[in-house]
Amino acid sequence: MCGIVGYVGTRNSQDVLLEGLSKLEYRGYDSAGVALAMGDSIRVVKAKGRLAVLRDKLQGEALPPCCCGIGHTRWATHGEPSDVNSHPQSTPRVSLVHNGIIENYGHLKTLLQQQGYTFESETDTEVLVKLIDSCYQGDPLKAILEALAKVRGSYAIAVLFRDFPDTIFAVRRESPLIVGFGQGESFIASDIPAILKYTREYSILDEGDIAVCKKDSVCFYNEFGQSIEKERLIADWDLEAADTGGHPHFLLPESTAQPAAITATVSPRVEGGMPDLRIPALSDEVLRSVGTVHLVGCGTAMHAGMVGKAAIEKLARVPALVDIASEFRYRDPILAPNDLVVIISQSGETSDTLAALKLAKSQGVKVLAIVNVVGSSIARAADYVMYTYAGPEIAVASTKAYMVQMCVLYLFALRLAYAKGKLGEAETRRLTAELQRASEVIKPRLEDCESIKYLASQFMNTQSCFFIGRGFDYSLSMEGSLKLKEISYIHSDAYAAGELKHGTISLITDGVPVIGLATQHSVYEKTISNIKETKSRGAKVILFTTHDAVVPEGVADYVVRLDEYEDVLMPLQLIVPLQLFAYYMAVLRGCDVDKPRNLAKSVTVE
């Protein structure tokens, strides 16, 4: 959701805050603001719109340098995007930025109004800052603890007190927050890229933790105000990985980084030609006892789960279910003691997915987490963890993170199949070698940008389209459709090709684009028949298929051919042109590719 950054040290805090917010804008970008400690006052500057609007406003203000401040880039939850609803929210004594939702803000607001407080914004954050103000009697830590004891909800907050102009107070519950350590300076941030320019050393705040940050020291306390120690970690991300590298958008270099991400994720988990999950507690003996596998995620992560389901059932012959995390947590799922819940999340902080994990653990079921961020909430709460090594992914629409989520799920499926005796050693080795080869297999697809860009130019004025496929291709149609609609704003739906005749084909009229995916040899002819049905009703068809496929005349207006590859692994190759098609459609339509409207990278509220 929202992005938080804070700095105290010897640099001009305004410069550090703007730099940090520029690395967090993927978390929210409908408004931004800063609060700067100016000795005997807190100066707040905020503005609706992108970070550039705030930057221009600060230049116009020409404020004197100061060495302590907090900043925020917002994804609106309570109250529409506006100057007044932007963060920080403040009183004369206290200023605060907030990521999360205060569930009982209405009740608290009424109590504060009875005390004489008035409100200007529609935000729950204004309620929170005035609640802290009402509790403040000269001791900031005591005021924060007293106020938060009255609060229900999720939050990561950074607080400035006018009386303590050299100190930032930071608290976390459910929403992520880290503390960075420099030489004579301290940082807080929602995510690592915000501080990489200045330091790689950081600590992660756990539930209820409070950090009191000064330039030369950071003290940590638990939710009872007791002093605690925190482990210090070292970030292994490169600063360049959080930069566009001269490209106009993050999404394109993140797409082209997929071969390297595959190698980084797969190679360390292959030992002697066999898949090795590198989790001693998840041994073959444990895998043999696994009953049903439940794959849980949101959005793109859930789509990776669909590919994982198909691979697990095909290779290991183990029943697998895919759940949207927000549905899993409320539908009272049936979980058996020997089931395994696989939680998939790029950030490791997704609210609904974390809640699904907690539900599974409350029922005594083991949880395997597939996440990209070391030390994230999901990683720390799970029984087993398999990290993906995609590096930072800044564009809201996921590309390389999705790719390596699939790779990890393939590794898991192969090891499970071997442990269950459904694949012999020779076949397991062969398929593992093919998975390792994926980084080379997808390179020609990434080099085929011009032909995909041409296709996009032919369809850029489309208002609605359909993706269809069967089996693995259906799973890819879901992700391809999501990519297209989330960054190009074209209405797009994905359907199992055989379902068209059960209602959806009524929407196929003259000129409607249909993207047909037909890479699975066992159902190729069936899929071609379904595509013919759309063509006979006037559809404009783009067909994605393999080099050896015989395409009957008149079936497709455009054909994109993929190299021969294992059917079960074909999603790794097929997704690349679908990602590029969505990217060029968005570019040609003039859309903001990295920051699509109403979306944020990490969704840390329900």
Side-chain angles (χ1 to χ4, degrees):
M1 296 301 248
C2 307
I4 291 173
V5 65
Y7 173 76
V8 56
T10 57
R11 307 175 197 258
N12 184 353
S13 62
Q14 185 181 137
D15 296 337
V16 178
L17 296 178
L18 289 172
E19 172 67 23
L21 290 175
S22 73
K23 302 301 185 184
L24 295 179
E25 201 173 9
Y26 66 91
R27 300 179 68 89
Y29 34 86
D30 55 39
S31 61
V34 296
L36 306 170
M38 294 288 187
D40 60 353
S41 67
I42 299 173
R43 185 61 181 271
V44 174
V45 181
K46 53 187 183 175
K48 175 185 175 181
R50 299 295 172 87
L51 186 59
V53 180
L54 174 66
R55 183 177 281 111
D56 291 344
K57 193 169 183 178
L58 283 166
Q59 288 178 349
E61 296 269 350
L63 298 173
C66 73
C67 298
C68 181
I70 55 178
H72 189 267
T73 180
R74 182 174 185 246
W75 189 82
T77 50
H78 287 71
E80 66 180 7
S82 68
D83 286 2
V84 72
N85 286 332
S86 304
H87 297 204
Q89 292 290 323
S90 305
T91 71
R93 301 190 298 178
V94 186
S95 190
L96 178 147
V97 293
H98 168 222
N99 176 15
I101 289 180
I102 306 304
E103 295 174 358
N104 61 332
Y105 82 101
H107 171 68
L108 294 172
K109 184 174 183 178
T110 299
L111 294 177
L112 289 166
Q113 286 171 328
Q114 291 170 357
Q115 296 177 36
Y117 284 92
T118 59
F119 293 84
E120 298 179 357
S121 78
E122 303 168 78
T123 67
D124 54 343
T125 304
E126 186 180 6
V127 174
L128 183 56
V129 73
K130 289 180 176 175
L131 179 64
I132 293 173
D133 184 88
S134 73
C135 298
Y136 180 56
Q137 300 293 328
D139 185 334
L141 186 59
K142 184 177 180 181
I144 291 170
L145 288 168
E146 183 180 338
L148 293 181
K150 303 174 183 178
V151 166
R152 292 198 317 273
S154 62
Y155 47 80
I157 61 173
V159 193
L160 287 182
F161 287 81
R162 181 190 60 195
D163 300 341
F164 296 81
D166 62 347
T167 309
I168 299 172
F169 298 83
V171 193
R172 176 263 171 96
R173 184 175 299 282
E174 295 188 10
S175 296
L177 205 60
I178 64 171
V179 174
F181 307 95
Q183 295 296 318
E185 56 190 358
S186 301
F187 308 82
I188 62 162
S190 296
D191 206 351
I192 293 169
I195 65 172
L196 277 179
K197 182 177 179 179
Y198 307 102
T199 183
R200 293 179 179 275
E201 191 174 8
Y202 70 101
S203 289
I204 299 171
L205 294 186
D206 289 308
E207 295 293 281
D209 284 353
I210 302 174
V212 180
C213 305
K214 298 177 180 289
K215 68 177 184 179
D216 295 318
S217 68
V218 178
C219 297
F220 296 100
Y221 303 88
N222 63 19
E223 59 188 324
F224 305 109
Q226 299 165 330
S227 179
I228 57 174
E229 298 294 323
K230 300 294 297 182
E231 179 185 7
R232 292 197 180 194
L233 306 171
I234 302 297
D236 59 1
W237 287 357
D238 293 326
L239 182 60
E240 292 76 15
D243 190 85
T244 63
H247 294 280
H249 311 100
F250 280 103
L251 195 143
L252 188 57
E254 288 173 358
S255 297
T256 57
Q258 289 180 113
I262 290 172
T263 299
T265 297
V266 174
S267 293
R269 295 186 171 101
V270 177
E271 183 68 36
M274 293 290 285
D276 186 340
L277 305 184
R278 304 294 186 187
I279 306 174
L282 196 57
S283 63
D284 283 355
E285 182 180 359
V286 173
L287 289 173
R288 279 191 288 274
S289 69
V290 169
T292 298
V293 177
H294 302 261
L295 300 126
V296 183
C298 298
T300 288
M302 185 271 289
H303 293 160
M306 292 178 65
V307 174
K309 166 188 165 65
I312 289 166
E313 292 190 338
K314 184 175 184 63
L315 298 174
R317 309 307 296 162
V318 171
L321 301 173
V322 178
D323 266 289
I324 299 169
S326 57
E327 292 295 313
F328 181 85
R329 64 183 293 194
Y330 291 119
R331 72 171 177 84
D332 193 17
I334 299 171
L335 300 173
N338 65 334
D339 286 356
L340 180 68
V341 173
V342 179
I343 295 290
I344 310 166
S345 170
Q346 183 268 332
S347 68
E349 301 291 349
T350 311
S351 176
D352 286 319
T353 313
L354 181 58
L357 181 154
K358 292 176 180 177
L359 173 63
K361 293 201 69 172
S362 73
Q363 296 191 22
V365 177
K366 295 293 186 181
V367 174
L368 166 65
I370 297 175
V371 297
N372 193 47
V373 180
V374 175
S376 57
S377 296
I378 287 173
R380 285 178 288 143
D383 298 287
Y384 319 109
V385 183
M386 292 183 72
Y387 286 111
T388 57
Y389 301 118
E393 188 178 69
I394 306 301
V396 168
S398 179
T399 51
K400 60 179 180 173
Y402 170 74
M403 179 69 80
V404 292
Q405 285 168 353
M406 287 194 292
C407 287
V408 168
L409 286 165
Y410 278 124
L411 285 164
F412 174 77
L414 287 166
R415 192 71 210 188
L416 181 64
Y418 177 72
K420 292 275 191 179
K422 300 302 181 182
L423 282 183
E425 183 174 330
E427 182 65 359
T428 304
R429 287 180 181 276
R430 187 185 73 81
L431 289 173
T432 301
E434 285 295 290
L435 177 60
Q436 286 185 286
R437 199 168 67 86
S439 58
E440 294 301 318
V441 169
I442 72 169
K443 284 181 180 178
R445 306 288 75 76
L446 290 164
E447 294 163 0
D448 198 22
C449 291
E450 286 306 311
S451 64
I452 299 298
K453 187 174 182 180
Y454 170 75
L455 278 179
S457 72
Q458 301 303 296
F459 290 87
M460 60 180 286
N461 294 318
T462 293
Q463 297 305 311
S464 181
C465 71
F466 297 90
F467 285 71
I468 62 172
R470 289 172 179 260
F472 283 104
D473 288 337
Y474 172 55
S475 299
L476 267 290
S477 73
M478 296 285 286
E479 177 61 13
S481 176
L482 176 62
K483 282 291 157 287
L484 184 65
K485 57 191 162 194
E486 70 182 336
I487 65 173
S488 74
Y489 312 145
I490 293 170
H491 173 262
S492 173
D493 277 328
Y495 287 92
E499 276 293 289
L500 283 173
K501 65 181 73 71
H502 298 290
T504 311
I505 203 164
S506 65
L507 299 174
I508 305 297
T509 56
D510 193 43
V512 170
V514 170
I515 294 91
L517 312 183
T519 69
Q520 301 295 300
H521 290 84
S522 63
V523 290
Y524 177 75
E525 291 181 353
K526 296 288 187 184
T527 305
I528 291 298
S529 294
N530 298 136
I531 293 172
K532 282 181 179 180
E533 292 173 352
T534 69
K535 190 63 182 166
S536 68
R537 288 158 176 82
K540 196 92 165 175
V541 173
I542 306 174
L543 174 64
F544 290 82
T545 190
T546 57
H547 267 303
D548 70 338
V550 177
V551 180
E553 187 176 350
V555 165
D557 298 275
Y558 304 93
V559 179
V560 178
R561 301 257 185 193
L562 282 68
D563 292 336
E564 288 304 307
Y565 196 38
E566 288 289 329
D567 274 16
V568 70
L569 299 175
M570 188 59 80
L572 299 172
Q573 183 180 186
L574 176 55
I575 191 55
V576 174
L578 299 183
Q579 292 169 342
L580 292 175
F581 182 69
Y583 171 74
Y584 285 115
M585 288 284 273
V587 170
L588 292 172
R589 288 167 63 88
C591 300
D592 191 333
V593 174
D594 289 335
K595 304 180 183 71
R597 66 188 180 209
N598 302 330
L599 297 179
K601 183 69 172 176
S602 179
V603 182
T604 54
V605 298
E606 285 192 61

